Amino acid sequence: MSVDAHVAPRAAAVTSPGGSEPAPTSRMPRRGLLVALLAALLAAGTLAAAPAPAFAAGIKVAVVVGPAGSLTSTYISHAKSYAAQARSYGATVVEVYTPKATWARVRSAVQGANLLVHLGHGNGFPNPYHSTLNPYKVDGLGLNPTTTSGNTKTAYYGEYYVRTQIKLAPNAVVLLNHLCYSAGSSEPGRANPSAWAARKRVDNYGAGFLRAGAKAVFAETLGRVSYVIKYLFTSSKSMSQIFWASPDRTWSYRTTFTSTRTPGATGILDPRRPGQFYRSVVGHLSMTAVTWRP
């Protein structure tokens, strides 16, 4: 299931002040002119946008959008912005969008990805429908049943398929965006979960991806994940530090847990208020962005 997206305000674009340099005179030595021009460019901010780092060329980013009914176009718009952001850092980006996001196409596209971003419907456990976890249906990817099924029918490929048929790059990171259950939340209209149920949902949703090679699984049900992409490519922060760098962090009601599904993994939930679990991360959270970059 899925909920509507809350789009955090974006910072206004900053442009460098314009200006013209005085024409050089024959009395100004060439070296002195070069130094003066360089200083002027730096002062004006013209050189602020550095070229993409060379390491990013070896990074594969896979962006997948499953069917989401009336929200499909919104999610695709978000996904394209994430893809453009990753490309701006020099990464190789593969995109698979509904209505063509079938299991066969997605499975092929995400192999070896350093970063997997998935948007769409989510199906997790515990849920109101079943008393036991069904690894074939929950805690995985919500995709198109066929290439002709449109944007309303969802086929869930659970953690079994993720952990047995997908192999991510070493130290990969997974971003789950707008998926119900993934960060602990319930479906719209359902009662808020207990802290225990929310922790179990986060732990379960991360398990298959961590078994597939990921080191951290971030979930943002309402907010955007562009901040994670930014800090993965540009910082030396740990996964927990990146989580707390979110513009939507609240901190006041945070809860942590030691994973029972993945040995050595820990999780953090950052609810907006008690019971409102829309942000989480689970995995080996001391790993840094430097380690993530191959």
Side-chain angles (χ1 to χ4, degrees), residues 25 32 65 68 74 93 100 107 121 124 129 154 162 165 172 186 190 199 208 211 238 263 268 274 280:
T25 67
V65 181
T74 299
V93 181
K100 305 295 185 181
R107 178 182 58 191
H121 282 324
Y129 311 108
T154 304
V162 173
Q165 298 186 31
S186 299
R190 295 277 183 179
R199 288 192 293 266
R211 287 280 297 275
S238 68
I268 308 172
S280 71

Side-chain angles (χ1 to χ4, degrees), residues 60-64 94 96 103 105-117 141 165-169:
K60 177 180 178 179
V61 177
V63 184
V64 176
V94 179
V96 186
W103 171 248
R105 290 168 61 88
V106 170
R107 178 182 58 191
S108 175
V110 305
Q111 300 297 334
N114 302 94
L115 178 63
L116 168 59
V117 187
L141 302 170
Q165 298 186 31
I166 291 176
K167 185 172 180 58
L168 300 172

Side-chain angles (χ1 to χ4, degrees), residues 142-166:
L143 305 174
N144 299 109
T146 68
T147 57
T148 60
S149 57
N151 294 322
T152 57
K153 296 181 180 179
T154 304
Y156 292 102
Y157 292 85
E159 65 169 79
Y160 170 83
Y161 296 99
V162 173
R163 61 181 166 82
T164 62
Q165 298 186 31
I166 291 176

Side-chain angles (χ1 to χ4, degrees), residues 40-73:
L41 289 171
L42 287 171
T46 308
L47 301 184
F55 67 78
I59 293 178
K60 177 180 178 179
V61 177
V63 184
V64 176
V65 181
S70 62
L71 293 172
T72 298
S73 60

Side-chain angles (χ1 to χ4, degrees), residues 114-142:
N114 302 94
L115 178 63
L116 168 59
V117 187
H118 177 45
L119 302 87
H121 282 324
N123 186 22
F125 185 84
N127 62 50
Y129 311 108
H130 302 96
S131 58
T132 58
L133 188 156
N134 180 349
Y136 298 97
K137 292 292 185 181
V138 301
D139 304 320
L141 302 170

Side-chain angles (χ1 to χ4, degrees), residues 203-277:
D203 198 13
N204 287 332
Y205 229 115
F209 296 101
L210 294 172
R211 287 280 297 275
K215 280 294 191 291
V217 179
F218 291 79
E220 290 277 356
T221 309
L222 298 182
R224 302 288 289 273
V225 295
S226 51
Y227 76 95
V228 182
I229 300 172
K230 170 186 174 182
Y231 289 118
L232 285 174
F233 280 96
T234 66
S235 81
S236 59
K237 295 179 183 292
S238 68
M239 298 302 104
S240 60
Q241 289 171 332
I242 291 176
F243 179 74
W244 290 120
S246 167
D248 294 324
R249 66 187 179 277
T250 58
W251 183 263
S252 299
Y253 305 104
R254 66 192 182 279
T255 179
T256 62
F257 65 90
T258 299
S259 174
T260 60
R261 294 294 313 278
T262 306
T266 57
I268 308 172
L269 289 77
D270 180 34
R272 291 185 171 187
R273 293 180 179 84
Q276 297 183 1
F277 297 95

